[in-house]
Amino acid sequence: MTDGHDADTAAGAAAGAGAMARDVGGGGTSAAARYKEIIGLARTAAEELRAWEQARDRQLYGEIQAAEDNVAAAAEAEEAMADRARRWWSMARDNVARLSWLDVGADPEPVPNARGEQASRYADDIRPAYHELTQAVLKLSWRAR
């Protein structure tokens, strides 16, 4: 007793054998027709590959452009933040310039491991620190006279 799967497999094998017999016997597809079919399939595959590569090229070009735009925006933001920090430092240096006993030192350097997504928090931390410095200098001013 055989199930349906065995019957389908046997029928498929018989059909394949018959096709091979026709090809060998010359009753089926000629070698030239088969060659043309293969060449047509290869051409179609090459055209599809070319179309895919062109689409991928456009996609990658767009991603590269977006990344370059992001880098340019980040560089502008970094320069704006550096300028802002230089202004705060200059104001702080001017506030303590009257204190002869305080050496201000060199301008601060950017920290390379600072997190860009926290730039606004860093900037927000500067204002209260500057005001504390200003208040401290004002409190010392009466003593310096």
Side-chain angles (χ1 to χ4, degrees), residues 4-142:
H5 177 68
D6 289 340
D8 289 341
T9 304
M20 287 176 58
R22 281 192 305 274
D23 287 343
V24 173
T29 308
S30 70
R34 184 71 181 137
Y35 175 78
K36 287 181 182 179
E37 180 184 350
I38 291 170
I39 292 299
L41 290 172
R43 183 176 297 121
T44 301
E47 289 169 358
E48 289 174 359
L49 178 61
R50 187 176 306 112
W52 178 84
E53 287 175 338
Q54 290 170 343
R56 182 70 174 142
D57 179 57
R58 287 188 297 274
Q59 177 189 5
L60 291 175
Y61 181 76
E63 290 176 12
I64 290 169
Q65 282 301 118
E68 288 175 350
D69 292 345
N70 288 343
V71 168
E76 289 175 14
E78 179 182 13
E79 184 56 37
M81 183 59 73
D83 185 51
R84 189 173 174 186
R86 280 190 291 271
R87 283 186 278 130
W88 279 106
W89 180 254
S90 176
M91 291 187 314
R93 188 178 49 234
D94 291 345
N95 275 330
V96 297
R98 293 175 294 172
L99 304 175
S100 60
W101 51 267
L102 182 65
D103 181 27
V104 177
D107 289 354
E109 293 293 321
V111 177
N113 62 347
R115 301 185 62 101
E117 64 271 5
Q118 295 183 8
S120 63
R121 188 184 68 108
Y122 296 148
D124 291 342
D125 290 346
I126 293 173
R127 185 180 307 273
Y130 173 76
H131 288 298
E132 285 180 38
L133 172 69
T134 304
Q135 292 303 312
V137 169
L138 289 174
K139 288 178 183 176
L140 288 174
S141 294
W142 68 268

